[in-house]
Amino acid sequence: MDSLQKTSYPYRMVAGVDIGNSTTEVVIASIMENDIKYLSTAILPTTGVKGTIQNVDGVLETLKVAADQASIEISDLSAIMLNEATPVISEIAMETISQTEIIGSSMIGHNPDTPGGRGIATGITRHIENIRIEGDVIAVVPAEYDFEEVAEKINAAFDEGYSITGVILKKDDGVLVANRLKKTIPIVDEVLNIEKVPLGMKAAIEVAGNGETIKVLSNPYGLATLFSLSPSETKDIIPISKSLIGNRSGVVIKNPEGNVKSEKIPAGSITMADKDRKVRVDVLEGAEKIMQARSALDELEDAFGDQGTNVGAMLGRVKEQMSELTGLSDIKIKDVLAVDTFVPVKVSGAIAGEYAMENAVLLAAMVKTSRLPMEKIAQALSEKTGVYVKIEGQEANMAILGALTTPGSDKPLAILDMGGGSTDAAIIDKHGNIKSVHLSGAGEMVTMIINSELALEDKELAELIKKYPLAKVDSLLNLRFEDGSVKFMEEPLDPDFYARVVVVTPEKLIPIRGGKKLTLEKIRLVRREAKKKVFVTNAMRALTRVAPDGNIRNIEFVVMVGGSALDFEIPEMISNELANYRIVAGRGNIRGSEGPRNAVATGLVIHAREG
Ligand code: ADP
Ligand code: MG
């Protein structure tokens, strides 16, 4: 752009840039005296860890998008206002607090789509060729037998008066065999590693009816009854029964050499300190105890774990990572959010790749360093653009200035900025005094809990499950949403979707394939609980910290901003909780047009005019 055109902009033109954990948001505005005219906004993923030099690329790109949209060049800007994005890693670590090992081939619990027959049976495992013996027998059938052959052999044994009580098949033939048998007996199929099934052992197999799950093998006392277990053996078998909960079918084999060992890994203790006090909590005591200890303290000076334990390693890792990124050595942990969760743990000695869900504590730790790295970012940005770059005040303070552009809002006001890595709160009183707090744990933690508790091993799918509602494909022309409403399709769905639970994104339906057969109800429950555990907890924590006299009841109005305020249920969950304290809370609408987005960037521009 030449200088003539430049003079056609009589205003001071500034950009507000908000570098977040997840996204970089920009607004470009022209300022003349008291008038601010917003020209354009842009949003792109943050490059690198927030508050590190890697952010510069993403900032430049986002600025470019906004500048193009405003039909200006970046060099036309008279200033770029940066939020004071002190580097924050919200490392999330899952520390399993107990781990189970099942030694020897003691169990199969899996979930074939179509087991055959139904019921519960016990018997001695025998190869299909050797089933003619006295007593109850469970036939074990390798892949080379076809279903007709299997049915013939078993029917012949029935005719001769032998008691075949159940069948374990390698192939997916359960229904085909069941349909040809003279008696209804449970048949488990799709047992991949059938050669690992020990022969001549007492086994129990159970197949549930359509729409039901097994009841006996998933109950430790059920197993105790079937295998005449002593109380101490019953205790040992709990992980087996636990891993079978929710299955359509299961097999448990009592292998005298098989053994169940449940071993507690030393989870370790976490020590948290503010400037006056120090508290130490054993992670095994769970999230609630950790958070009680946390809330008894003010702003953390640091947190650490015992050496040689899980937490010790995790917190050490976080600090090391931050130190590498910034080149600074003295890294401190400023906040910790702990959440109880479950993680899938592979059961060793399992035959079909089973896993058990084990208790775990998920920790999000926030690391902060000095302003130094921010100044490096500002310098690099200024060199690359030739524009004056200024680091403005604290992020939450900027967010509150931005949030106040929400129509109908006024001072005194509190905000909750719910992002990817952190949940921030700030409050402004009648006189314009601002108090703010940054706490760890936000959208990414929710995604992580969903991914782990549903054993998805697919972060992108977990993110979609978080963001969009679920539906069940009842028929290929018929979609039933989680709220009970029904939609008729104009065109039949892909047959692959039949009877599946899907995520309904604006573009398309995404089928959910999890480790276990996941019901819509289960997915919904995990999703909602994850959101509550992170955001309702953090909203209460954050608001209590900024509330006058530390009493949340002294807050009247709350505006929610940030990416996670776009969520279809999080703002409602928080509003409901806050209603108990007679607080009015709702999603922000920055400048009456941006929804809960762009609060910090907008605040930076307002601050530039005022300051
Ligand atoms: P930050 O300020 O930390 O960069 P943002 O304010 O951009 O974070 O928020 C990012 C978070 O918002 C992510 O965890 C993302 O999953 C979540 N998010 C973005 N859009 C939506 C949506 N439509 N529904 C629910 N969550 C969303
Ligand atoms: Mg943010």
Side-chain angles (χ1 to χ4, degrees):
M1 206 175 263
D2 63 40
S3 56
L4 249 181
Q5 274 174 297
K6 230 179 206 170
T7 53
S8 68
Y9 280 97
Y11 305 108
R12 197 150 68 97
M13 193 119 51
V14 300
V17 177
D18 169 22
I19 305 170
N21 282 292
S22 310
T23 56
T24 297
E25 296 183 71
V26 164
V27 61
I28 290 181
S30 59
I31 302 178
M32 202 177 62
E33 281 160 30
N34 275 334
D35 197 35
I36 300 181
K37 203 165 152 232
Y38 296 96
L39 302 178
S40 65
T41 60
I43 179 167
L44 284 176
T46 295
T47 48
V49 172
K50 169 179 177 173
T52 61
I53 196 78
Q54 284 77 19
N55 298 161
V56 174
D57 291 343
V59 171
L60 286 171
E61 243 180 278
T62 320
L63 272 172
K64 181 86 179 79
V65 174
D68 283 351
Q69 220 180 297
S71 308
I72 63 161
E73 299 292 327
I74 294 177
S75 55
D76 294 333
L77 293 166
S78 38
I80 295 170
M81 306 294 172
L82 271 188
N83 63 328
E84 191 175 320
T86 36
V88 174
I89 303 186
S90 288
E91 162 93 354
I92 311 186
M94 199 102 57
E95 300 304 336
T96 313
I97 59 180
S98 66
Q99 185 177 315
T100 303
E101 204 175 319
I102 297 168
I103 302 161
S105 305
S106 10
M107 54 94 68
I108 310 172
H110 77 148
N111 218 13
D113 279 325
T114 50
R118 63 183 292 175
I120 173 116
T122 56
I124 303 296
T125 50
R126 304 280 297 188
H127 190 280
I128 181 75
E129 294 293 355
N130 305 315
I131 54 176
R132 290 175 160 85
I133 56 154
E134 286 305 303
D136 294 339
V137 168
I138 289 178
V140 178
V141 186
E144 58 268 25
Y145 293 84
D146 78 23
F147 57 90
E148 279 182 334
E149 226 179 330
V150 176
E152 251 166 52
K153 285 184 191 292
I154 294 172
N155 280 332
F158 281 153
D159 290 343
E160 291 166 42
Y162 292 108
S163 168
I164 315 299
T165 54
V167 187
I168 304 173
L169 297 174
K170 172 155 181 161
K171 287 201 288 195
D172 180 18
D173 285 347
V175 175
L176 297 172
V177 173
N179 289 343
R180 286 165 176 77
L181 290 186
K182 297 179 173 174
K183 290 186 201 165
T184 302
I185 55 174
I187 303 176
V188 172
D189 60 5
E190 294 178 64
V191 175
L192 276 181
N193 301 322
I194 197 121
E195 65 285 350
K196 285 201 194 163
V197 175
L199 299 176
M201 302 292 170
K202 181 156 184 195
I205 83 177
E206 183 175 6
V207 172
N210 275 322
E212 290 171 18
T213 59
I214 56 174
K215 296 281 175 317
V216 182
L217 300 188
S218 56
N219 171 0
Y221 299 116
L223 287 173
T225 312
L226 291 174
F227 292 109
S228 320
L229 301 179
S230 71
S232 93
E233 287 172 318
T234 306
K235 244 181 147 175
D236 284 345
I237 209 155
I238 286 174
I240 292 185
S241 57
K242 232 169 71 181
S243 76
L244 293 177
I245 291 175
N247 275 8
R248 198 48 224 281
S249 70
V251 179
V252 175
I253 300 162
K254 190 155 190 257
N255 185 346
E257 285 153 38
N259 197 355
V260 180
K261 198 175 76 183
S262 185
E263 183 188 3
K264 298 258 183 217
I265 291 177
S269 295
I270 180 168
T271 303
M272 295 175 281
D274 67 9
K275 56 185 190 315
D276 311 310
R277 284 154 298 178
K278 210 179 227 187
V279 286
R280 198 182 139 92
V281 193
D282 188 339
V283 172
L284 282 176
E285 291 193 61
E288 202 181 324
K289 278 277 154 54
I290 299 173
M291 293 320 288
Q292 268 170 17
R294 170 67 190 94
S295 65
L297 297 169
D298 269 348
E299 192 178 327
L300 290 192
E301 300 260 284
D302 201 8
F304 42 89
D306 300 343
Q307 264 194 340
T309 66
N310 272 332
V311 238
M314 176 228 158
L315 296 178
R317 229 171 21 241
V318 172
K319 291 179 183 177
E320 214 168 276
Q321 199 184 336
M322 181 54 93
S323 147
E324 266 170 34
L325 284 167
T326 59
L328 299 170
S329 58
D330 195 24
I331 310 282
K332 303 278 198 234
I333 288 182
K334 288 298 189 185
D335 186 48
V336 167
L337 174 66
V339 168
D340 286 322
T341 182
F342 298 96
V343 288
V345 175
K346 282 254 156 25
V347 175
S348 58
I351 296 170
E354 301 84 15
Y355 53 84
M357 296 306 282
E358 293 292 346
N359 294 318
V361 173
L362 180 58
L363 288 177
M366 179 187 265
V367 187
K368 269 197 195 173
T369 64
S370 62
R371 254 180 83 130
L372 224 63
M374 210 51 224
E375 272 148 20
K376 280 195 208 156
I377 296 178
Q379 206 182 337
L381 202 57
S382 175
E383 276 163 20
K384 294 215 165 150
T385 58
V387 179
Y388 168 66
V389 179
K390 188 168 178 213
I391 305 167
E392 283 291 355
Q394 283 221 313
E395 194 170 315
N397 302 16
M398 297 303 113
I400 215 162
L401 290 181
L404 278 167
T405 64
T406 295
S409 69
D410 198 3
K411 296 180 242 183
L413 177 78
I415 60 134
L416 273 174
D417 180 356
M418 304 182 288
S422 73
T423 302
D424 307 330
I427 194 161
I428 187 166
D429 68 13
K430 276 202 281 295
H431 314 292
N433 301 313
I434 297 177
K435 186 177 173 195
S436 64
V437 64
H438 298 251
L439 299 179
S440 62
E444 274 169 34
M445 198 180 193
V446 173
T447 305
M448 186 151 180
I449 296 173
I450 293 172
N451 191 26
S452 138
E453 291 193 2
L454 296 178
L456 299 173
E457 292 178 25
D458 183 345
K459 262 194 95 172
E460 269 104 71
L461 180 59
E463 177 81 9
L464 292 173
I465 290 176
K466 175 178 85 172
K467 283 189 188 168
Y468 302 106
L470 300 164
K472 177 89 193 277
V473 179
D474 275 347
S475 78
L476 295 180
L477 285 169
N478 194 327
L479 206 55
R480 185 169 48 83
F481 287 88
E482 61 177 277
D483 66 359
S485 61
V486 174
K487 181 178 168 189
F488 293 97
M489 310 304 290
E490 276 161 24
E491 299 210 349
L493 293 163
D494 188 327
D496 206 29
F497 284 19
Y498 180 65
R500 282 204 181 276
V501 181
V502 293
V503 188
V504 187
T505 75
E507 295 83 34
K508 56 179 181 184
L509 303 178
I510 296 171
I512 298 173
R513 296 185 172 84
K516 293 205 175 191
K517 278 280 134 54
L518 296 163
T519 64
L520 186 146
E521 289 71 24
K522 164 90 184 180
I523 301 168
R524 180 170 188 271
L525 187 72
V526 165
R527 181 192 75 210
R528 291 182 60 88
E529 283 303 308
K531 289 176 179 177
K532 270 190 208 150
K533 283 192 254 188
V534 173
F535 280 108
V536 175
T537 308
N538 260 356
M540 293 301 294
R541 269 190 338 132
L543 290 173
T544 304
R545 284 191 184 264
V546 296
D549 305 321
N551 185 350
I552 197 166
R553 290 176 192 277
N554 293 333
I555 294 176
E556 276 182 273
F557 296 99
V558 174
V559 167
M560 291 176 261
V561 300
S564 296
L566 286 167
D567 191 90
F568 70 102
E569 50 196 357
I570 290 169
E572 188 187 312
M573 286 173 178
I574 293 174
S575 298
N576 284 343
E577 181 66 25
L578 293 179
N580 296 329
Y581 303 88
R582 305 180 58 82
I583 300 170
V584 182
R587 190 187 272 142
N589 189 13
I590 312 305
R591 292 186 260 119
S593 64
E594 303 298 306
R597 281 279 183 206
N598 210 259
V600 173
T602 299
L604 284 164
V605 168
I606 296 170
H607 189 70
R609 179 201 63 190
E610 288 171 356

